[in-house]
């Protein structure tokens, strides 16, 4: 009997350990499943707004107003974990939605003014730049109500992550501009006729590289201004990008440096620096001046050496 | 015949180590700057060579500064302000005129001071101004991502790149003059030999190309 007694005890222990492992696994899976789900409040909203066909026709303008939100894109966006009523009026908690909820003022900077947000991204500086942008100052009636959401869909917006292929970044960023300005890509359009190799530029360069001021802001966290320029004020001087201030090469180098650091770490970056771009240190003026200086110095030293040699021979000739 | 022990082992080791790195950096730097030139290194090869040599040069320069702080060698870099202008004029007159006429050298190498005033000022400029600028701009280049986007209204990376480029050209000029000046010892090879053996040996006859100077 005593020989059999450890058996059930061992089984109980095994069962206890198995239960513990299962409990931990279930908790982990449960937590993972919970984190993939939208916040509980949002599920209620998405029951209606998740339908692709949810829309109404505006009684005044007659336009069809799309009220649908793609739940998948929302979950993958920077706001995927934010409750709908964190941005939208609290009145939207109730259904039917009260009329006064429609008077809400959606304000990105208002939410992003918290200190930790400002450090990671300068929203207030962006608001200042946008105020000077053609999108804010233009008198085209289509610009009425233009705001952050006109370009950045808050229900789908994702920040570019380091390591994303440059071609994809260019395509995604330009898609924002082209969602309104598609006509500029028309082969018969005159807008970019002056630009050599138009299609190559569009595939490799973001619209904002030329359509924002050359002088960057003093904010270290931001590489490109939100002050979008009118066509006639935009950069159309080739050397501004290709040799003058090397603005584009610098931006490319900065992005590739971030990739290097993320991939190789500090020491790997210091040795291999795969970010380096040919031509980054080019300056025709410094090159010409320095090479001329070096040439003159070399000639001067050779002349000095020759003088010393002749003096030496002369002094040898005088010796008895 | 006089002999002074001017170059202790660590100075000679540092000197030839730096000289080798200087050549490597010059070749690899030119290969990056003038990428595509057929007789230079390939860009992909030049980048890691340049960076590794730059890291070693930094360590060497720190060793040089620390060595000068804690050994007697540092005294050769202390400027004697009294009579500076007079010595400077005399040295320039000698290089520009006297050296061709067999005039006596206005400066005599001693254990207390191995550099004439022109050498001292140019070495001070190279080692304590250009080298720190070169090293700082090189590291700033590598870690430009931590710099602000702009400085004084200009792109930071552009400022760093132009500083590195201009200082590098300045050091190439220094190197050319340095190579030439070491031939102005008692014989063409006197100073080179001194930097190899540590001993500055002179016959005292002032035979060939002007009286002695030290190499570094």
């Amino acid at each position: 009997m005593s020989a059999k007694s450890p058996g059930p005890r061992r089984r109980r222990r095994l069962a206890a350990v198995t239960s513990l492992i299962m409990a931990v696994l279930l908790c982990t899976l449960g937590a993972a499943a919970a984190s993939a789900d939208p916040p509980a409040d949002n599920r209620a909203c998405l029951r209606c707004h998740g339908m692709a066909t949810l829309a109404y026709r505006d009684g005044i303008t007659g336009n069809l107003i799309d009220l649908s939100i793609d739940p998948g894109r929302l979950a993958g966006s920077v706001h995927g974990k934010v409750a709908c009523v964190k941005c939208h009026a609290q009145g939207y908690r109730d259904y039917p939605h009260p009329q006064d909820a429609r008077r809400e003022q959606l304000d990105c900077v208002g939410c992003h003014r918290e200190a930790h947000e400002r450090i990671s991204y300068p929203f207030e500086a962006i608001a200042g730049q946008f105020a000077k942008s053609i999108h804010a100052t233009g008198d085209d009636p289509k610009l009425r109500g233009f705001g952050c959401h006109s370009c950045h869909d808050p229900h789908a917006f994702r920040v570019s992550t380091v390591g994303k292929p440059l071609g994809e970044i260019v395509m995604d960023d330009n898609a924002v501009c082209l969602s309104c300005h598609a006509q500029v890509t028309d082969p018969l359009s005159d807008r970019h006729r002056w630009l050599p190799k138009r299609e190559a530029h569009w595939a490799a360069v973001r619209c904002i590289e030329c359509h924002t001021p050359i002088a960057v802001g003093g904010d270290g966290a931001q590489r490109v201004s939100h002050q979008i320029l009118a066509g006639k004020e935009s950069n159309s001087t080739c050397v501004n990008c290709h040799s003058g201030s090397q603005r584009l090469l610098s931006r490319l180098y900065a992005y590739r440096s971030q990739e290097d650091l993320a991939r190789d770490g500090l020491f790997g970056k210091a040795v291999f620096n795969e970010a380096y771009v040919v031509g980054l240190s080019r300056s025709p003026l410094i090159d010409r001046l320095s090479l001329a200086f070096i040439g003159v110095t070399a000639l001067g030293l050779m002349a000095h050496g020759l003088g010393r040699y002749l003096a030496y021979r002369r002094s040898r000739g005088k010796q008895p | 015949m006089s002999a002074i022990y001017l170059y202790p082992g660590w100075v000679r080791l540092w000197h030839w180590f730096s000289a080798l790195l200087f050549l490597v950096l010059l070749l690899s730097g030119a290969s990056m700057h003038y990428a595509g030139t057929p007789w230079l290194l390939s860009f992909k090869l030049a980048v890691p060579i340049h960076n590794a040599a730059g890291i070693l040069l930094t360590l060497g320069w720190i060793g040089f500064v620390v060595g000068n702080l804690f050994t007697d060698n540092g005294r050769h870099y202390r400027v004697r302000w009294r009579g500076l202008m007079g010595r400077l004029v005399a040295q320039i007159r000698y290089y520009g005129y006297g050296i061709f006429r067999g005039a006596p050298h206005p400066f005599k190498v001693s254990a207390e001071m191995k550099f004439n005033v022109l050498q001292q000022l140019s070495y001070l400029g190279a080692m304590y101004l250009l080298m720190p600028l070169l090293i700082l701009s090189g590291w700033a280049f590598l870690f430009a991502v931590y710099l602000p986007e702009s400085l004084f209204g200009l792109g930071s990376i552009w400022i760093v790149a132009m500083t590195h480029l201009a200082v590098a050209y300045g050091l190439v000029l220094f190197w050319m003059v340095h190579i030439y000046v070491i031939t102005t010892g008692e014989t063409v090879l006197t100073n080179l030999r001194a930097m190899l053996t540590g001993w500055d040996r002179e016959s005292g006859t002032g035979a060939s190309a002007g009286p002695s100077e030290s190499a570094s």
Side-chain angles (χ1 to χ4, degrees), chain A residues 215-224 243-246 249-251 253-254 257-258 261 265-267 269-274 276-283 286-288 290-291 293-295 297-298 301-308 311-312 314-315 319, chain B residues 32-35 37 43-44 47-52 55 94-97 99-102 139-150 153-155 157-158 161-163 165-166 169-170 172-173 176-178 180-181 183-185 187-188 207-210:
Chain A
V216 288
D219 200 317
Q222 200 190 359
R223 297 279 167 196
V224 187
S243 61
S245 69
Q246 296 175 315
L249 283 180
S250 295
R251 276 183 196 161
Y253 181 68
S257 287
Q258 285 176 330
L261 280 167
L266 286 173
F267 184 72
K269 163 74 179 160
V271 176
F272 296 107
N273 193 27
E274 290 179 26
Y276 191 82
V277 189
V278 176
L280 194 59
S281 63
R282 273 290 172 88
S283 162
I286 294 179
D287 281 346
R288 278 185 206 137
S290 303
L291 290 174
F293 244 106
I294 285 171
T297 305
L301 293 176
M302 280 193 278
H304 199 274
L306 182 66
R308 276 170 58 208
Y312 168 72
R314 199 169 55 235
S315 70
Q319 281 177 6
Chain B
M32 290 160 73
H33 189 67
Y34 295 104
T37 308
F43 184 78
K44 267 191 173 301
V47 171
I49 290 177
H50 195 77
N51 294 345
I55 293 168
Y94 173 74
Y95 279 138
Y97 179 76
I99 197 167
F100 305 114
R101 302 280 163 196
W139 282 98
F141 221 147
L142 289 176
F143 294 105
V145 69
Y146 296 118
L147 295 176
E149 169 80 10
S150 65
L154 295 166
I157 295 175
W158 185 79
M162 292 307 111
T163 305
L165 179 67
Y169 274 126
V172 169
L173 274 171
M176 289 168 64
V177 176
H178 178 68
Y180 176 74
V181 165
T183 68
T184 61
T187 70
V188 170
S208 64

Side-chain angles (χ1 to χ4, degrees), chain A residues 45-236:
Chain A
C45 303
L46 290 172
R47 277 179 65 193
C48 297
H49 289 278
M51 290 189 290
T53 52
L54 187 71
Y56 75 96
R57 192 169 293 282
D58 189 284
I60 301 167
T61 63
N63 292 335
L64 199 64
I65 308 296
D66 184 7
L67 294 175
S68 70
I69 289 163
D70 183 334
R73 292 185 75 198
L74 175 64
S77 80
V78 287
H79 297 131
K81 302 272 189 298
V82 180
C84 301
V85 287
K86 182 95 176 165
C87 300
H88 294 283
Q90 291 289 325
Y92 281 115
R93 279 183 190 280
D94 303 322
Y95 186 82
H97 302 317
Q99 277 295 314
D100 59 350
R102 295 186 63 184
R103 286 198 289 273
E104 67 175 1
Q105 292 288 318
L106 291 170
D107 176 17
C108 301
V109 181
C111 273
H112 288 282
R113 193 170 277 132
E114 292 164 39
H116 69 278
E117 292 281 359
R118 215 169 41 234
I119 291 163
S120 64
Y121 219 77
F123 278 90
E124 282 169 334
I126 290 172
Q129 291 158 3
F130 172 71
K132 292 186 273 182
S133 164
I134 185 67
H135 289 147
T137 59
D139 51 9
D140 190 322
K142 287 185 205 157
L143 290 174
R144 200 168 299 135
F146 198 99
C148 307
H149 310 143
S150 307
C151 297
H152 305 292
D153 180 355
H155 302 120
F157 185 74
R158 304 173 74 160
V159 285
S160 289
T161 46
V162 169
K164 188 174 172 182
L166 285 169
E168 270 183 41
I169 293 177
V170 170
M171 198 168 70
D172 290 352
D173 279 22
N174 288 356
V176 174
C177 306
L178 294 173
S179 63
C180 291
H181 299 283
Q183 76 280 8
V184 299
T185 58
D186 186 335
L188 299 175
S189 166
D190 279 353
R191 294 285 182 84
H192 289 88
R193 201 171 55 183
W194 65 274
L195 181 65
K197 297 189 186 298
R198 275 195 323 187
E199 281 70 23
H201 271 97
W202 288 335
V205 182
R206 297 180 299 179
C207 306
I208 51 175
E209 308 292 1
C210 298
H211 292 282
T212 55
I214 290 171
V216 288
D219 200 317
Q222 200 190 359
R223 297 279 167 196
V224 187
S225 172
H226 273 67
Q227 185 186 342
I228 309 297
L229 299 170
K232 59 180 181 295
E233 291 166 13
S234 297
N235 178 35
S236 57

